[in-house]
Amino acid sequence: MYKIVGKTFFSENVVKLDIEAPRIAKARRAGHFVIVKIGEKGERFPLTIAGADREKGTITLVVQKVGVSSRKLAALEVGESITDLVGPLGKATHIENKGTILACGGGVGVAPLLPIVEAYKNAGNRVITVIAARSKDLIILEDQIRAFSDELIIMTDDGSYGKKGLITEGMEEAIAKENISEAMVIGPAVMMKFASMVTKKHNIPTLASLNTIMVDGTGMCGACRITVAGKTKFVCVDGPEFDAHQVDFDEMLLRLSGFKEIEKEADESYLKDHEC
Amino acid sequence: MEEKDNYLKSERSQQWREDLRKKIKNKERTQIPRVKMNEIDPKERIKSYVEVNCGLNKEQAQNEAARCLDCVNPTCISGCPVEINIPKFIKRIEEGKFDEAAKVLKDTSTLPAVCGRVCPQEKQCEAKCFYTQKLKKEPVAIGYLERFAADYEQASGQVSIPELAEPNGIKIACIGSGPAGLTFAGEMAKRGYEVTVFEALHEIGGVLKYGIPEFRLPNSVVDIEIDSLIKMGVHFETNFIVGKTATVEDLKEEGYQAFFTGSGAGLPRFMNIPGENYIGILSSNEYLTRINLMHAADKDSDTPVVSGKNVMVIGGGNTAMDSVRTAKRLGAERAMIVYRRSMAEMPARIEEIEHAKEEGIEFMTLSNPVEYLADDKGRVNQVRIQKMELGEPDASGRRRPIPIEGSEELIEVNTVVVSVGVSPNPIVPDSLPDLKTSSWGTIEVDADTFQSSMPEMFAGGDIVRGGATVILAMGDGRKAAQSMDAYLKGN
């Protein structure tokens, strides 16, 4: 079960995995996520699905090495299996022809953005996509995104590729030229916070796809809770997409750091044990 | 009813029972004091997850079994949601035929070793015991004896498998592998059905695994019961969420003819008070899942857990007791229960409250949190507690707690566990628009048959009750199997 059948490194720390999971491949829609667990004593963590091949019965996940669990996942080779994989979870993106969509992806957030861009395009929308990363080697899935985008703006912090600047600058550029009906932002929480401030300024309805700490992913634990429009919501069952202008990103950023020290310590000890 | 009475009478009139009754005079039987459960010393047990109750030895069990008067009218059975033939199994223990006693339990209960540990016997069978009702004495320790017989069988390695009907090839899907689902699956397998249990998590057992801690119910005990089901031909699929991984429609296309939903009351409730989303405040579900299911306290587990010096648990139910006692075992210096009513109204089992007290848990009753405060990193560090007094009884019949103005105080905390109840898991109902649900989100079923508004869908346990006990869930699973069987046979 859940055998790795394809593995591609996008960069030293970002890897794309194709995994056998026929039922999930069939049932998943854009916006869905899965929960992954590596090894008997592994932790459960969420990853948004980056694509699927129904014929082959595989799903695609893109993982960035940030801690013990993501390193363990990225270390799996073709032929090896993921211990536990469950999904598709969350609510799928509500796709319809809305006119012009501004799709914004930061870092590995571009991976879950891809199926959404594809779905919006196939529904007849004009799609303007902005992708951003720190530098050229961290820009991922450019060709795939371009295939479903009417226009693609690439931004890098250091100017090593595309235009120099933050994602917000690329967004401003697109908004200045186009009449945007709706925006979608996916990426690190801090990027989503600032990206949604841009669209708020221009009164563009915006969805953010959130990735919080989760244990079960089915509404049981409440670890993923956030505040939206003053009310507590569970990202796993109420989301993962929410009205970005109503999300309390500061609280979300705090909650994401809840285990930071323990995680850092665990990661350092993992790296020490796995130095080659 | 009559059929059941006749069965009990004919069982009671068997020679071995007659002989046993004559062996000791009732007057002598009632003179025997009730057995005390052997327990691990509180100072020792708070250092590990070892089971607190050690069970009875043979002599203790046979002595306790001799207290049972083998009544003509065994009222105890009416207190049991799965109607175990209580006098029969107890008399088998008195006789020394412990494996026979276990077989009696298995006739009607799929999980006797579990029930013997977590059932609230004091409110069920033991409350209906002749000793309690008429003699005003301590009841026969039915729960301890149930556990004894079930453990004896488990330890013998000769776990009996109930007789199975000829396989009928009819595929049945059971959604959820908690006590309701496991019981349902066992009952259907006995009747010859081909049952597959679908479990959302990576382990089988539902609340028995993620919720109830090892010191109250060791996972190994649950695993032996699950093994029995596998031997009976029940299939299990983990990491499978019906309504997500595949829909009920998909499963029908794959040949499943009827469904039982026992997906539980998984959604934790919060109180919606200021500061409740600060770091270090978590639901009892999250806290217990991290420890029990994810083994976060083990050194080699990747799952982290917050362990604090001062841990406050909000609530007075069994889950609150499980959480606070877990906190103590994780090294909390101060492990506190904050409950808005008084000790008398506390819904947790008396045994759990007693065990908690022995372990040094502080009880702050007539107290309610109204606000959480945090440090500059957003980590909770204080709770504002308001004192309460009891007013008139409310809808639940318990006296309503009323805040006392100006009685607020601040208490230092590092971790807060919110254990104020759960709501039904919405995933299955949400995926079935035709399924009738209540405004609470529970699945509506016929009170006798457990059949839902979709004729091929039955449901039981907390997804129907909203938050009850292991044994009530098991009773539902058993009755749902009976009526699904009748439904599929067309009568």
Side-chain angles (χ1 to χ4, degrees):
Chain A
M1 273 296 247
Y2 321 127
K3 197 159 86 176
I4 313 271
V5 292
K7 183 176 183 180
T8 318
F9 274 95
F10 286 147
S11 68
E12 192 198 332
N13 285 318
V14 180
V15 62
K16 177 177 94 116
L17 298 169
D18 297 311
I19 301 142
E20 259 177 23
R23 284 197 185 267
I24 302 175
K26 194 175 152 213
R28 73 96 212 184
R29 300 283 175 274
H32 278 143
F33 68 94
V34 289
I35 293 268
V36 175
K37 173 174 162 282
I38 316 293
E40 283 312 308
K41 294 290 181 88
E43 76 179 320
R44 296 170 65 101
F45 63 101
L47 282 171
T48 308
I49 302 170
D53 186 327
R54 291 177 75 146
E55 251 83 87
K56 287 189 197 148
T58 59
I59 61 164
T60 303
L61 299 176
V62 174
V63 59
Q64 181 173 25
K65 296 190 231 171
V66 287
V68 174
S69 297
S70 52
R71 283 184 210 285
K72 281 187 177 174
L73 177 56
L76 291 179
E77 298 299 340
V78 171
E80 291 185 303
S81 291
I82 292 177
T83 318
D84 293 288
L85 176 69
V86 64
L89 293 161
K91 291 186 173 150
T93 312
H94 182 69
I95 302 284
E96 58 180 333
N97 191 343
K98 291 166 182 167
T100 304
I101 300 288
L102 177 64
C104 313
V108 280
V110 174
L113 187 69
L114 174 61
I116 295 171
V117 166
E118 180 182 349
Y120 271 128
K121 184 66 200 162
N122 291 339
N125 291 283
R126 177 174 166 77
V127 182
I128 317 295
T129 308
V130 185
I131 61 176
R134 277 203 311 275
S135 58
K136 186 184 177 185
D137 60 326
L138 295 173
I139 292 287
I140 61 169
L141 296 167
E142 180 191 341
D143 294 343
Q144 291 88 332
I145 286 276
R146 192 184 297 280
F148 299 104
S149 303
D150 294 278
E151 268 193 54
L152 176 63
I153 301 171
I154 299 172
M155 306 293 299
T156 51
D157 292 5
D158 61 2
S160 53
Y161 194 57
K163 290 180 182 159
K164 184 175 190 306
L166 298 171
I167 195 160
T168 46
E169 293 165 63
M171 290 169 69
E172 290 284 9
E173 183 192 322
I175 293 165
K177 282 196 292 192
E178 302 267 348
N179 191 8
I180 309 286
S181 331
E182 200 172 301
M184 163 69 77
V185 299
I186 311 183
V190 68
M191 169 244 143
M192 289 192 280
K193 175 184 166 180
F194 286 101
S196 47
M197 282 160 73
V198 172
T199 58
K200 191 169 185 188
K201 193 173 73 187
H202 295 284
N203 281 320
I204 300 166
T206 302
L207 288 173
S209 177
L210 309 182
N211 195 341
T212 51
I213 295 172
M214 291 186 192
V215 184
D216 63 286
T218 63
M220 255 177 52
C221 77
C224 65
R225 66 193 193 276
I226 52 157
T227 304
V228 183
K231 287 206 176 99
T232 293
K233 296 277 177 192
F234 287 8
V235 172
C236 64
V237 286
D238 299 322
E241 290 166 12
F242 294 93
D243 179 346
H245 299 157
Q246 302 288 341
V247 172
D248 184 342
F249 280 108
D250 292 331
E251 180 191 87
M252 181 182 157
L253 279 161
L254 273 180
R255 290 186 58 78
L256 278 169
S257 71
F259 293 100
K260 216 173 187 172
E261 281 157 36
I262 308 175
E263 282 165 354
K264 199 172 158 229
E265 221 172 277
D267 194 36
E268 278 163 7
S269 108
Y270 178 86
L271 283 176
K272 221 168 108 191
D273 292 346
H274 291 79
E275 260 172 353
C276 12
Chain B
M1 234 13 218
E2 209 171 299
E3 201 184 323
K4 201 159 68 193
D5 287 347
N6 286 340
Y7 156 77
L8 289 175
K9 271 193 193 123
S10 78
E11 284 282 342
R12 185 176 181 271
S13 60
Q14 285 184 7
Q15 198 57 49
W16 69 272
R17 297 257 299 257
E18 299 268 2
D19 294 345
L20 220 51
R21 280 198 294 275
K22 281 181 200 145
K23 226 172 93 185
I24 309 171
K25 285 198 182 98
N26 275 356
K27 210 171 171 187
E28 287 170 38
R29 291 183 188 271
T30 58
Q31 295 307 312
I32 307 170
R34 177 178 155 120
V35 70
K36 294 260 177 299
M37 175 54 80
N38 308 310
E39 294 170 358
I40 308 271
D41 184 79
K43 283 191 210 79
E44 281 308 309
R45 71 193 190 218
I46 58 166
K47 292 177 200 158
S48 75
Y49 295 90
V50 63
E51 191 177 10
V52 172
N53 286 349
C54 316
L56 306 180
N57 62 36
K58 286 183 194 175
E59 292 69 30
Q60 286 175 310
Q62 285 184 283
N63 211 33
E64 182 65 21
R67 290 182 71 220
C68 171
L69 304 178
D70 199 4
C71 302
V72 184
N73 177 21
T75 44
C76 51
I77 299 177
S78 67
C80 175
V82 296
E83 296 175 323
I84 288 173
N85 189 341
I86 294 168
K88 186 178 174 188
F89 100 78
I90 292 183
K91 290 300 121 179
R92 283 298 192 197
I93 293 177
E94 184 181 345
E95 218 189 357
K97 291 189 174 164
F98 307 132
D99 45 355
E100 289 295 322
K103 277 192 191 133
V104 177
L105 295 171
K106 288 242 171 123
D107 278 342
T108 54
S109 169
T110 313
L111 313 166
V114 174
C115 293
R117 288 171 166 81
V118 302
C119 263
Q121 292 100 4
E122 67 278 7
K123 290 179 189 159
Q124 297 179 348
C125 52
E126 293 182 16
K128 296 282 170 74
C129 174
F130 186 76
Y131 278 77
T132 318
Q133 299 261 317
K134 293 281 168 5
L135 300 179
K136 307 294 169 204
K137 284 188 174 188
E138 282 193 295
V140 174
I142 302 170
Y144 295 169
L145 291 173
E146 178 183 28
R147 175 183 161 171
F148 169 79
D151 282 3
Y152 182 88
E153 194 197 37
Q154 284 203 350
S156 74
Q158 307 280 313
V159 177
S160 69
I161 304 295
E163 241 175 81
L164 306 178
E166 274 296 302
N168 59 23
I170 299 174
K171 281 170 82 175
I172 303 295
C174 174
I175 304 166
S177 71
L182 292 179
T183 303
F184 169 85
E187 291 294 325
M188 289 305 271
K190 273 191 216 169
R191 291 174 169 82
Y193 292 93
E194 192 182 328
V195 188
T196 303
V197 181
F198 296 98
E199 167 55 49
L201 293 170
H202 57 274
E203 270 214 45
I204 304 162
V207 73
L208 305 175
K209 283 278 179 67
Y210 75 75
I212 303 174
E214 295 250 25
F215 56 81
R216 206 148 72 81
L217 175 65
N219 284 344
S220 58
V221 170
V222 183
D223 284 333
I224 294 176
E225 310 266 32
I226 292 166
D227 279 345
S228 295
L229 289 170
I230 292 171
K231 284 185 193 139
M232 287 165 69
V234 175
H235 309 289
F236 288 94
E237 279 216 42
T238 52
N239 297 320
F240 197 117
I241 305 174
V242 176
K244 295 278 185 193
T245 311
T247 61
V248 167
E249 277 310 310
D250 295 334
L251 294 177
K252 277 185 194 166
E253 278 170 30
E254 290 172 31
Y256 290 92
Q257 293 188 22
F259 298 81
F260 174 78
T261 302
S263 52
L267 260 63
R269 286 198 203 127
F270 287 92
M271 295 170 69
N272 297 313
I273 56 175
E276 206 172 22
N277 289 348
Y278 284 136
I279 303 168
I281 303 175
L282 33 107
S283 72
S284 48
N285 264 6
E286 181 183 349
Y287 192 64
L288 293 172
T289 298
R290 282 180 184 274
I291 304 296
N292 299 336
L293 182 76
M294 306 310 297
H295 311 288
D298 295 359
K299 267 216 163 78
D300 56 351
S301 168
D302 291 344
T303 302
V305 70
V306 275
S307 46
K309 210 166 73 175
N310 300 315
V311 181
M312 179 181 285
V313 176
I314 318 295
N318 285 323
T319 312
M321 296 306 139
D322 287 345
S323 302
V324 78
R325 294 172 67 198
T326 297
K328 192 82 192 173
R329 283 159 175 78
L330 281 173
E333 283 169 25
R334 247 189 121 179
M336 304 162 259
I337 282 280
V338 166
Y339 178 56
R340 63 194 181 127
R341 304 181 203 248
S342 74
M343 279 316 265
E345 287 82 20
M346 208 171 267
R349 290 189 66 193
I350 295 158
E351 184 181 41
E352 305 312 324
I353 296 171
E354 287 308 315
H355 281 163
K357 284 183 179 165
E358 289 165 13
E359 289 165 11
I361 306 300
E362 287 175 53
F363 284 79
M364 300 168 61
T365 53
L366 293 166
S367 302
N368 203 32
V370 288
E371 186 188 3
Y372 297 104
L373 306 174
D375 64 17
D376 57 356
K377 287 179 181 149
R379 185 169 287 282
V380 66
N381 59 7
Q382 283 183 317
V383 186
R384 194 182 302 281
I385 295 285
Q386 182 161 49
K387 287 283 169 197
M388 314 290 275
E389 58 188 350
L390 292 179
E392 295 298 310
D394 63 12
S396 73
R398 294 176 300 177
R399 292 177 66 192
R400 186 196 307 272
I402 303 165
I404 302 171
E405 290 305 320
S407 66
E408 294 177 10
E409 60 171 323
L410 284 173
I411 294 177
E412 305 280 318
V413 293
N414 310 99
T415 303
V416 176
V417 179
V418 183
S419 184
V420 294
V422 283
S423 306
N425 194 305
I427 290 179
V428 173
D430 279 358
S431 73
L432 296 167
D434 294 340
L435 186 70
K436 238 179 155 173
T437 53
S438 72
S439 53
W440 292 93
T442 52
I443 298 177
E444 289 193 354
V445 294
D446 180 281
D448 297 318
T449 65
F450 292 88
Q451 191 167 25
S452 75
S453 59
M454 292 167 59
E456 70 284 14
M457 174 68 77
F458 294 68
D462 281 359
I463 190 68
V464 166
R465 297 175 179 272
T469 59
V470 167
I471 187 68
L472 286 172
M474 288 180 55
D476 293 356
R478 185 159 178 265
K479 284 175 205 142
Q482 277 165 2
S483 44
M484 185 188 285
D485 183 42
Y487 162 77
L488 290 167
K489 286 179 174 149
N491 48 33

